[in-house]
Amino acid sequence: MPRSILQAVLLVDGYNIIGAWPCLKKTRDHSGLEAARGELVEAMTNYSAFQGYETQIVFDAQYQNAASNKQIITELLSVHFTDFGQTADTYIEKACASLRPHITQSRVSRVIVATSDRAQQLMVQGYGAEWLSAQQLCGEVETTVCRMRHKYQSRKQSKSRFLASTIDAKARQRLAELRMGLQ
């Protein structure tokens, strides 16, 4: 992110969130884990952009025998798959530990971890991170979607269908003069 101080870093325990959000659980059960991951990434893309959070969604390798990898989705969102045998919890704990000095040096204003895992909550709070339950994150994402819609609708309603009403009075006067040949 180009700013020198990040508003917040949000670390999301991907499978924990998928298992806790009813809509994602339903997708997982009917269309598979890949589809549920895709829905979570889409929701977090919009949320991160609106909030200005640098977000990392972390999936552990419990379902894959592959090396870790990182996918950059947007400037503010990345998806991390841990190494085989490494859990998302340990990845998130290490990330919190590495971000702690950035908080104390005021380069990151907040570190937030989204998970409903109670042991993880206690661990990350020990590193100075904030905790957000899966249900709280779901509520915040839904609220953000509503705010985005409202903002879009307000902008849409404020715009007129006619070009003339969107330009300033001086330009409108100049166009009228040109139309009448009064240059």
Side-chain angles (χ1 to χ4, degrees), residues 47-59:
Y47 179 75
S48 299
F50 194 81
Q51 297 293 350
Y53 291 171
E54 181 183 296
T55 302
Q56 299 176 25
I57 303 173
V58 183
F59 295 106

Side-chain angles (χ1 to χ4, degrees), residues 8-145:
V9 173
L10 174 61
L11 301 166
V12 178
D13 185 342
Y15 291 130
N16 184 277
I17 300 300
I18 288 172
W21 288 10
C23 59
L24 294 179
K25 261 201 291 197
K26 185 177 180 181
T27 299
R28 178 197 65 199
D29 295 345
H30 293 295
S31 303
L33 203 49
E34 184 71 29
R37 282 194 299 254
E39 279 186 32
L40 176 60
V41 168
E42 185 177 325
M44 296 312 300
T45 299
N46 295 328
Y47 179 75
S48 299
F50 194 81
Q51 297 293 350
Y53 291 171
E54 181 183 296
T55 302
Q56 299 176 25
I57 303 173
V58 183
F59 295 106
D60 53 40
Q62 66 183 10
Y63 299 115
Q64 300 176 9
N65 188 6
S68 67
N69 69 45
K70 174 181 175 181
Q71 298 171 358
I72 306 294
I73 307 300
T74 68
E75 180 183 333
L76 293 173
L77 180 72
S78 57
V79 175
H80 301 260
F81 290 91
T82 67
D83 280 321
F84 182 71
Q86 181 186 26
T87 66
D89 291 355
T90 57
Y91 179 98
I92 289 169
E93 289 166 17
K94 287 179 182 178
C96 287
S98 69
L99 288 167
R100 187 176 190 162
H102 296 286
I103 295 171
T104 57
Q105 296 167 2
S106 300
R107 286 184 275 180
V108 175
S109 64
R110 305 163 60 196
V111 174
I112 307 162
V113 175
T115 183
S116 287
D117 182 326
R118 178 78 172 136
Q120 183 74 358
Q121 170 196 355
L122 296 172
M123 182 65 72
V124 300
Q125 285 177 329
Y127 289 112
E130 299 172 33
W131 170 72
L132 198 60
S133 74
Q135 289 72 26
Q136 288 171 313
L137 180 62
C138 185
E140 285 196 17
V141 168
E142 287 174 355
T143 299
T144 298
V145 167

